[in-house]
Amino acid sequence: METSGVVFNQFPRGGFQLQALAERVSRDQEHLPVLPPLYNVVRDTASCSRSTYSPLQALSESTCRDHAAPAPPPPPPRVQESHSQVPNQSVTLHPAVARCSASLELSALWRSFHELGTEMIVTKAGRRMFPALQARLSGLLPNADYLLLVDFVPLDDKRYRYAFHSSSWVVAGKADPVSPPRIHVHPDSPAAGAHWMRQLVSFDKLKLTNNQLDDNGHIILNSMHRYQPRLHVVFLPGDGQSAPGTVPYRTFIFPETGFTAVTAYQNHRITQLKIASNPFAKGFRDCDPDDCPPEPGGQRAPRRREEGPLAQPYAAEPSAGGPLYAPHAHTVRYDTYI
Amino acid sequence: METSGVVFNQFPRGGFQLQALAERVSRDQEHLPVLPPLYNVVRDTASCSRSTYSPLQALSESTCRDHAAPAPPPPPPRVQESHSQVPNQSVTLHPAVARCSASLELSALWRSFHELGTEMIVTKAGRRMFPALQARLSGLLPNADYLLLVDFVPLDDKRYRYAFHSSSWVVAGKADPVSPPRIHVHPDSPAAGAHWMRQLVSFDKLKLTNNQLDDNGHIILNSMHRYQPRLHVVFLPGDGQSAPGTVPYRTFIFPETGFTAVTAYQNHRITQLKIASNPFAKGFRDCDPDDCPPEPGGQRAPRRREEGPLAQPYAAEPSAGGPLYAPHAHTVRYDTYI
DNA sequence: AGATTGACACCTAGGTGGTAATGT
DNA sequence: ACATTACCACCTAGGTGTCAATCT
């Protein structure tokens, strides 16, 4: 099923036309900077109403933060050299995607993680993301067919290490070599616009792995590196629906979904927030079994081991390495986010 | 999503073109006899090598039984009156389906159930079939797109009752009114022929319900009625792949998959075979926990309640009602059939 | 009396982080 | 040192038939 360098998790449907189209989307962007002007980048509409939006700014900081918590600035995005085929001017969108927009679901939870410096576990067998990428779509043509793709681009070309003494990430060198990029195709693809817009689109089948030889179609990432997920909405032209010279897809980036891939959690507050918000980790929660599932805002007594001064007490300054947790991160409890 | 009387479990993919095509397949056959000559009926190729095959005969008895067990003859198929649009002569198949064939997986298990008189539970919330319909396909064009559909046709127009005193099914009157027919679309649809042929195609998401008002897209059946599942392989023409005047689909019927819908099992030997072969029912098996999963052929000591002469000892003659279990049905133990 | 429903114990299947062992 | 792995207890989620209660 690999006709080019791009590897997909699956491509049962629609045969090879779809695969070729998805490959084109991937290739178009493969050698571009993380956020080239070509991209039709749209901000998380649920959390930000800014009409003018700078893509590069979006990745370099969280531009739309409605909390007072200090914004953890990730390192500036890498700009690669090979700008092949970058039409720097505005492009004409295919009508099927011209009015398309997407909003990130659970953006408050994502922001809570982002403020601490999101970490995502990668394992040999593949690990789901938590939170999972979920989006609400609008502006699609109900009767037109679309693919929904997710891929991951490096946020920089560095390798990181977590300094426990300062509870901060520090640069540990240049990035390791990258594996051939992989793209996750939403299992419903292709589907009509009406299907995608009917309800939340969830990428909860997507799995991350650090196994460079992975055979299951999972997304291959380097541990201790930073990544930015991207959502691509790709129009699939039917008979006579092609419009040469137009761009048939749009790419959405939600900066608060950027993360560091790890094989074990480094920042203990990330661990705690995962435990508090992921229903599958309920067994690790520090609360009585009866009233354990508290609604956001509730607060309960600890049950498991009293972890006293476990690592450093959570009070450290952001260092050059990248985002740190905010000293006064939310005490909000998340219950069921799945 | 309902543009005609046909209801589908889902139709996210490929938009309305696919839905229209599937509806056509359904409508073509909706008012036909159970097995009209139009159908491209193919026998379970795994269990039968007969080259000449009579569709009507296939439903009226199990024509390809390689066991000595007495064949439980189901009631003869109903022949409806409204033979609209029945080209009684042979039709020209579209090249994309001309060489298509399908074989039933787990046909030995299906036959064991069939010999006892298969029962399938229907519930308000929807119940999976066990065994699930699974088939291996061949002869598709690897790069062409296909839909895989399953629907259910009544095997007769009768209502049944199980006579416990004689351990046999008896006719209890004329069939109840039928709900609008529903079609289960395999979730992978549409997919390339290569995808369908790569591995076993399993319809384990299909659920049966007796809730006439079901709005989960499940298959609606009448309890205490007999049904025959059908598998439709539908070619989905791409640009310029249409061939007017040809039939773009084939229908496969495996007579050993016919069953009686029930809300609770009637024949106790059916219950026992389900418990012995369905891994989810392992908790009800009559064997020691350690060596409980015996390979087919093994035999173990009972663990749960000794059920002595539970109903009548299993020895009854087939009555006019339909299939009965064979008095000497297999003692083979089935382990994991999922 | 027969058919249906709902609560239940008991499974499969798989997603959590913890922890100790193992690499490197 | 640090990163990774394998295994584990503990969850969620949902598929089984049983049984008692209820419906018709």
Side-chain angles (χ1 to χ4, degrees), chain B residues 269-330:
Chain B
R269 302 189 74 176
I270 287 291
T271 311
Q272 291 181 317
L273 186 49
K274 296 253 184 180
I275 290 174
S277 53
N278 187 335
F280 287 107
K282 191 173 284 185
F284 299 103
R285 291 192 186 167
D286 289 333
C287 54
D288 299 320
D290 49 352
D291 52 1
C292 191
E295 21 291 319
Q299 204 72 347
R300 290 304 165 190
R303 177 188 55 175
R304 208 164 289 263
R305 64 194 141 286
E306 332 297 332
E307 46 189 68
L310 219 162
Q312 309 290 338
Y314 313 123
E317 294 303 315
S319 82
L324 270 191
Y325 54 75
H328 51 83
H330 302 71

Side-chain angles (χ1 to χ4, degrees), chain A residues 1 11-17 142-145 187-192 194-195 198 238-240, chain B residues 1 11-17 142-145 187-192 194-195 198 238-240:
Chain A
M1 267 306 214
F11 237 118
R13 301 176 191 83
F16 300 97
Q17 286 184 346
N143 290 4
D145 288 340
D188 288 0
S189 304
H195 172 72
R198 178 160 41 222
D239 294 13
Chain B
M1 272 301 217
F11 238 115
R13 301 175 192 86
F16 299 98
Q17 286 183 345
N143 290 5
D145 288 341
D188 289 359
S189 303
H195 172 72
R198 178 162 41 222
D239 295 11

Side-chain angles (χ1 to χ4, degrees), chain A residues 54-89:
Chain A
S54 159
L56 284 172
Q57 188 182 7
L59 266 192
S60 62
E61 59 174 306
S62 228
T63 57
C64 183
R65 188 175 311 274
D66 43 7
H67 293 39
R78 169 179 57 156
V79 177
Q80 301 178 342
E81 293 74 26
S82 52
H83 280 213
S84 59
Q85 48 171 325
V86 181
N88 213 339
Q89 298 306 321

Side-chain angles (χ1 to χ4, degrees), chain B residues 127-207:
Chain B
R127 192 81 149 191
R128 303 210 302 201
M129 295 173 66
F130 186 88
L133 291 170
Q134 299 177 108
R136 293 187 188 276
L137 295 184
S138 60
L140 305 181
L141 302 182
N143 290 5
D145 288 341
Y146 300 85
L147 307 179
L148 255 64
L149 316 177
V150 166
D151 64 1
F152 296 77
V153 289
L155 269 170
D156 53 49
D157 57 352
K158 294 179 173 53
R159 179 177 223 290
Y160 289 88
R161 186 173 61 80
Y162 192 73
F164 285 93
H165 64 86
S166 64
S167 300
S168 65
W169 287 96
V170 296
V171 175
K174 204 168 160 52
D176 295 333
V178 298
S179 288
R182 292 195 168 179
I183 296 184
H184 177 86
V185 184
H186 191 286
D188 289 359
S189 303
H195 172 72
W196 296 119
M197 293 187 294
R198 178 162 41 222
Q199 59 184 8
L200 196 60
V201 178
S202 185
F203 289 88
D204 50 6
K205 293 287 180 289
L206 188 160
K207 288 192 176 183

Side-chain angles (χ1 to χ4, degrees), chain A residues 2-297:
Chain A
E2 298 183 25
T3 63
S4 78
V6 183
V7 177
F8 300 90
N9 56 321
Q10 49 93 356
F11 237 118
R13 301 176 191 83
F16 300 97
Q17 286 184 346
L18 303 195
Q19 184 177 355
L21 180 54
E23 283 179 12
R24 175 183 148 198
V25 173
S26 169
R27 251 200 312 265
D28 277 359
Q29 313 189 356
E30 192 173 354
H31 297 103
L32 299 180
V34 172
L35 273 177
L38 168 65
Y39 287 20
N40 308 295
V41 179
V42 175
R43 189 74 180 89
D44 174 359
T45 57
S47 61
C48 181
S49 58
R50 285 172 60 158
S51 56
T52 63
Y53 172 69
S54 159
L56 284 172
Q57 188 182 7
L59 266 192
S60 62
E61 59 174 306
S62 228
T63 57
C64 183
R65 188 175 311 274
D66 43 7
H67 293 39
R78 169 179 57 156
V79 177
Q80 301 178 342
E81 293 74 26
S82 52
H83 280 213
S84 59
Q85 48 171 325
V86 181
N88 213 339
Q89 298 306 321
S90 65
V91 295
T92 305
L93 293 173
H94 191 288
V97 296
R99 301 173 59 84
C100 167
S101 81
S103 70
L104 179 68
E105 189 74 4
L106 254 30
S107 57
L109 179 62
W110 275 108
R111 278 195 300 271
S112 298
F113 277 106
H114 191 59
E115 288 162 10
L116 302 176
T118 310
E119 301 174 22
M120 293 289 176
I121 298 278
V122 291
T123 67
K124 203 163 127 184
R127 191 80 149 192
R128 302 210 304 201
M129 295 174 66
F130 187 88
L133 291 170
Q134 298 179 107
R136 291 186 190 277
L137 295 184
S138 61
L140 304 182
L141 302 182
N143 290 4
D145 288 340
Y146 299 85
L147 307 179
L148 256 63
L149 316 178
V150 166
D151 63 1
F152 296 77
V153 289
L155 271 170
D156 53 50
D157 59 351
K158 293 180 174 53
R159 181 178 222 289
Y160 289 88
R161 184 174 61 79
Y162 192 72
F164 285 94
H165 64 85
S166 63
S167 298
S168 65
W169 288 97
V170 295
V171 174
K174 204 169 162 53
D176 295 332
V178 297
S179 287
R182 291 195 170 180
I183 296 185
H184 178 87
V185 185
H186 191 287
D188 288 0
S189 304
H195 172 72
W196 296 120
M197 294 188 293
R198 178 160 41 222
Q199 59 184 7
L200 196 60
V201 178
S202 186
F203 289 88
D204 51 6
K205 293 289 180 289
L206 187 158
K207 288 193 176 183
L208 308 179
T209 183
N210 60 341
N211 180 10
Q212 308 289 321
L213 285 65
D214 173 82
D215 206 30
N216 303 304
H218 297 151
I219 301 289
I220 302 177
L221 302 180
N222 284 325
S223 183
M224 312 310 271
H225 292 240
R226 296 176 183 281
Y227 294 93
Q228 173 62 55
R230 303 188 303 187
L231 169 64
H232 309 278
V233 178
V234 183
F235 168 59
L236 187 63
D239 294 13
Q241 292 181 312
S242 294
T246 65
V247 172
Y249 60 86
R250 293 188 78 153
T251 297
F252 299 89
I253 293 184
F254 306 107
E256 59 268 54
T257 60
F259 62 87
T260 306
V262 295
T263 58
Y265 289 126
Q266 306 295 313
N267 181 345
H268 201 266
R269 302 190 72 175
I270 287 291
T271 310
Q272 292 182 316
L273 186 50
K274 296 252 183 179
I275 289 173
S277 52
N278 187 334
F280 287 106
K282 191 173 284 183
F284 299 102
R285 290 190 188 168
D286 290 332
C287 54
D288 299 321
D290 50 348
D291 52 3
C292 191
E295 21 291 317

